[in-house]
Amino acid sequence: ELEKFKLAVDGTSDSIMITDKDARVLYVNKAVSEMTGFEKDEIIGKYVGNLWGGHMEKGYYENMWHIIKDTKQIFTGELNNRRKNGEEYIVSAKFYPLLDKNDEINFFVGVESDITKAKQLEHSKAEFVSVASHQLRTPLTGIKWFSELLLKGQAGPLSGDQKDYINQIFTSNDRMIKLVDDLLDVSHMDETGHFKIVLQTEEFSGIIKEVVEEQQLIADSKKIKIKVEDACLKKIKLKVDKSKISQAMQNILNNAVKYSPSGSVIKFDCKKDSDNFIFSVSDQGIGIPDNQHSRIFEKFFRGDNVISTGSGTGLGLYISKYIINAHAGKIWFESKEGEGTTFYISLPIK
Ligand code: ADP
């Protein structure tokens, strides 16, 4: 049985390692040598930090040890390591504490897979999107300026049809600018794994007012009323990145407008408990089909029931979630198809 077990563990392409409770290596499978370039007898009895590890920031390892040693939980993460020949490589790793009957740590088990190639591919994809978007931004801005000039009558008066057509060029172009901006955001997030935010103390009800006023202009064309509840008008100071949090708020409000019937009402409500400020946007729109709830925050995902509506990229909520996570907040929703949707965003007060 032991032999079978050993064959199986040695035969996997993931590297598997067992260390004692002081993190000295007791066992490694074959893949560890293939991945790191160190031979078995160079590894056993040593600390990983003195072999291929130790290249992350100190805080990273402190957090990792805290999770597996103090809380005795599994740690999952990505690490930059270095092979014996000095080459850098990236692994996706899981470290498990193995406990004895008395809940004391006996060993640690580490399982790592080499994701360097996948990461490089991800990087070139993100770079391509970023370069392409940058290149598109300039001509699109040109189209915006010149159609604006035409609309203002700078090149002479326009007939009704001409005005109408140029308006359509202007609107479509604006949609393209929004798409390009979203793609730039996403490629940056995918590459860095986070959204860079700059926190400042802001009076939050002012932000709500600004964003709602702007979205009301869009809602007017569908005779939709955005009703802001009194609880949202109370002054409250929160530490946020104003432009980013406005972007997330715009996204969920704009979705509510897009996916609601003409003449309906959208409710903007706020709540506060000792730790969090929560705001919500409820609509009476088409709702999100049950079987798609789990996919709504995925990149480029759009519900079955909205595909025919045309305008939308499936990036808004993906970006919003990143923004809210970067604020240590939460975003979630409740929805019933055909009845309506409520999105909630909660932000920490401290
Ligand atoms: P999109 O640009 O398509 O609106 P989002 O990322 O903002 O992309 O939203 C993703 C999908 O979530 C939408 O395509 C839609 O299917 C669904 N969705 C988001 N908000 C609502 C809403 N208020 N009502 C119904 N469906 C919604």
Side-chain angles (χ1 to χ4, degrees):
E1 284 302 314
L2 196 62
E3 201 50 36
K4 249 193 262 166
F5 181 73
K6 206 170 159 307
L7 273 174
V9 174
D10 257 346
T12 65
S13 61
D14 282 349
S15 83
I16 299 175
M17 173 181 69
I18 303 175
T19 76
D20 66 14
K21 56 181 186 311
D22 300 317
R24 240 189 314 250
V25 182
L26 298 174
Y27 168 84
V28 285
N29 71 346
K30 273 201 189 122
V32 173
S33 296
E34 281 156 22
M35 201 179 279
T36 65
F38 289 98
E39 293 302 328
K40 213 172 209 167
D41 50 4
E42 293 176 285
I43 303 172
I44 303 294
K46 305 264 171 54
Y47 294 101
V48 171
N50 298 333
L51 296 163
W52 56 84
H55 302 287
M56 306 291 289
E57 279 172 15
K58 214 167 130 229
Y60 187 95
Y61 296 110
E62 282 168 359
N63 174 47
M64 179 187 94
W65 284 116
H66 169 69
I67 291 174
I68 55 177
K69 228 173 175 164
D70 304 335
T71 70
K72 298 178 182 166
Q73 301 288 317
I74 302 168
F75 172 83
T76 308
E78 288 180 5
L79 289 98
N80 292 322
N81 288 338
R82 216 158 282 173
R83 300 188 218 278
K84 192 180 173 186
N85 64 9
E87 190 184 34
E88 276 186 35
Y89 69 105
I90 307 168
V91 293
S92 155
K94 267 195 155 87
F95 300 121
Y96 306 80
L98 292 191
L99 309 178
D100 63 16
K101 284 197 292 276
N102 305 321
D103 250 10
E104 296 296 330
I105 292 170
N106 249 348
F107 306 107
F108 293 109
V109 176
V111 181
E112 297 185 347
S113 42
D114 193 331
I115 55 166
T116 316
K117 283 222 170 72
K119 280 276 160 192
Q120 280 164 348
L121 197 67
E122 220 173 84
H123 173 75
S124 11
K125 271 203 298 198
E127 199 171 56
F128 170 74
V129 173
S130 158
V131 171
S133 312
H134 266 297
Q135 298 294 329
L136 283 169
R137 193 80 176 65
T138 318
L140 289 175
T141 312
I143 296 174
K144 185 180 168 83
W145 282 342
F146 287 109
S147 48
E148 238 165 11
L149 288 180
L150 286 173
L151 282 172
K152 280 186 189 147
Q154 299 269 348
L158 300 175
S159 73
D161 273 355
Q162 286 170 337
K163 210 169 193 168
D164 197 26
Y165 296 159
I166 294 173
N167 245 324
Q168 302 225 20
I169 293 175
F170 183 82
T171 312
S172 301
N173 185 63
D174 250 5
R175 279 217 324 251
M176 259 196 287
I177 291 178
K178 166 97 175 69
L179 171 63
V180 164
D181 284 347
D182 282 356
L183 284 172
L184 274 171
D185 274 349
V186 167
S187 68
H188 179 72
M189 281 166 5
D190 284 350
E191 203 166 9
T192 57
H194 63 266
F195 214 100
K196 196 157 176 272
I197 56 165
V198 184
L199 295 178
Q200 267 179 331
T201 305
E202 305 278 356
E203 203 286 292
F204 206 72
S205 71
I207 299 183
I208 296 177
K209 213 163 150 265
E210 266 175 42
V211 174
V212 169
E213 271 171 17
E214 186 192 297
Q215 291 299 315
Q216 184 59 58
L217 294 177
I218 302 169
D220 280 345
S221 63
K222 283 178 85 176
K223 299 199 168 44
I224 291 174
K225 168 89 190 113
I226 306 175
K227 188 167 174 290
V228 180
E229 298 295 327
D230 288 345
C232 304
L233 306 175
K234 285 195 201 127
K235 295 218 178 322
I236 176 160
K237 295 238 185 295
L238 291 180
K239 260 196 147 175
V240 292
D241 183 318
K242 185 175 171 189
S243 82
K244 297 288 183 242
I245 212 75
S246 302
Q247 188 182 346
M249 203 186 282
Q250 269 159 13
N251 270 332
I252 59 169
L253 257 178
N254 192 250
N255 281 346
V257 173
K258 265 194 316 202
Y259 303 126
S260 288
S262 299
S264 60
V265 175
I266 293 170
K267 194 173 87 173
F268 198 116
D269 206 354
C270 301
K271 227 169 47 190
K272 194 179 109 165
D273 61 27
S274 53
D275 299 323
N276 300 296
F277 180 80
I278 304 164
F279 63 91
S280 61
V281 173
S282 307
D283 64 50
Q284 305 164 323
I286 57 176
I288 299 168
D290 271 353
N291 62 354
Q292 287 159 32
H293 280 200
S294 61
R295 304 197 53 197
I296 268 332
F297 294 103
E298 282 175 21
K299 187 162 49 173
F300 294 117
F301 184 80
R302 307 198 66 215
D304 278 350
N305 57 341
V306 306
I307 304 279
S308 58
T309 64
S311 79
T313 61
L315 290 174
L317 286 178
Y318 178 75
I319 296 172
S320 302
K321 189 163 178 155
Y322 255 94
I323 294 176
I324 302 305
N325 283 349
H327 282 83
K330 286 201 184 87
I331 176 166
W332 71 99
F333 66 91
E334 286 160 2
S335 183
K336 234 186 156 77
E337 198 173 2
E339 289 183 20
T341 304
T342 302
F343 270 87
Y344 299 88
I345 289 181
S346 113
L347 296 168
I349 293 172
K350 290 208 181 83

